[in-house]
Amino acid sequence: MLTNVINGINIAVADLDFWTRKYELVLGVKSTPVAEEGFAFPGMTGSSFNIGGFQLNLISSDDPATSVGRFLARSGDGFFLLSLAVPDVDEAGDRLRELGVNPLLERAARGVAHQPVNFVHPKEMAGVQIELIEVPE
């Protein structure tokens, strides 16, 4: 088994401020801002909601070259990815390859203020982008 822990979901939004306020109101939970440094790749910002240990993240980008920017241009606001917590991203990527599923990166992306991550293209998983994020046990 690759994992039995869902870390959270990411929802892409064009108007981060509007949707952050609305989610705070509806969920009754204060968000934590996520600056560009909090992402594995530049050009994105977001808001994170911790709901009983489950992470609901709103993510946005004004850069049409980012994956979020392309998604927003193509699909508008909506579900962007499912995040799975794994103890070792590179081992999880190797396991996926053994199962015939190809991660986007050969090895995990490692950011200054972000845990190691890798991704699986939506075409590999019935239209759902998967994020593998390293969360030590």
Side-chain angles (χ1 to χ4, degrees):
M1 177 184 305
L2 187 64
T3 185
N4 64 353
V5 179
I6 295 176
N7 186 62
I9 62 170
N10 287 1
I11 300 169
V13 297
D15 187 338
L16 182 62
D17 292 336
F18 171 83
W19 288 110
T20 297
R21 287 190 305 276
K22 186 159 191 171
Y23 271 80
E24 286 177 339
L25 178 67
V26 170
L27 297 175
V29 175
K30 191 78 175 140
S31 68
T32 302
V34 182
E36 186 172 338
E37 300 79 37
F39 290 90
F41 300 101
M44 295 183 282
T45 58
S47 297
S48 183
F49 298 84
N50 184 328
I51 306 166
F54 182 86
Q55 296 298 312
L56 186 150
N57 301 301
L58 302 178
I59 56 176
S60 190
S61 179
D62 293 330
D63 184 347
T66 66
S67 59
V68 173
R70 289 189 307 273
F71 177 89
L72 288 168
R74 181 179 62 250
S75 304
D77 296 343
F79 179 84
F80 184 69
L81 65 75
L82 174 66
S83 177
L84 302 178
V86 297
D88 185 298
V89 171
D90 290 329
E91 284 182 17
D94 292 341
R95 177 71 179 126
L96 284 174
R97 285 182 197 87
E98 291 170 5
L99 297 171
V101 176
N102 296 308
L104 290 175
L105 307 171
E106 184 61 34
R107 288 289 173 232
R110 289 171 162 76
V112 174
H114 194 279
Q115 301 100 311
V117 294
N118 203 340
F119 302 90
V120 176
H121 194 280
K123 291 179 183 175
E124 296 269 353
M125 297 299 294
V128 176
Q129 179 171 297
I130 304 290
E131 173 189 53
L132 302 172
I133 187 162
E134 194 163 296
V135 179
E137 295 180 279

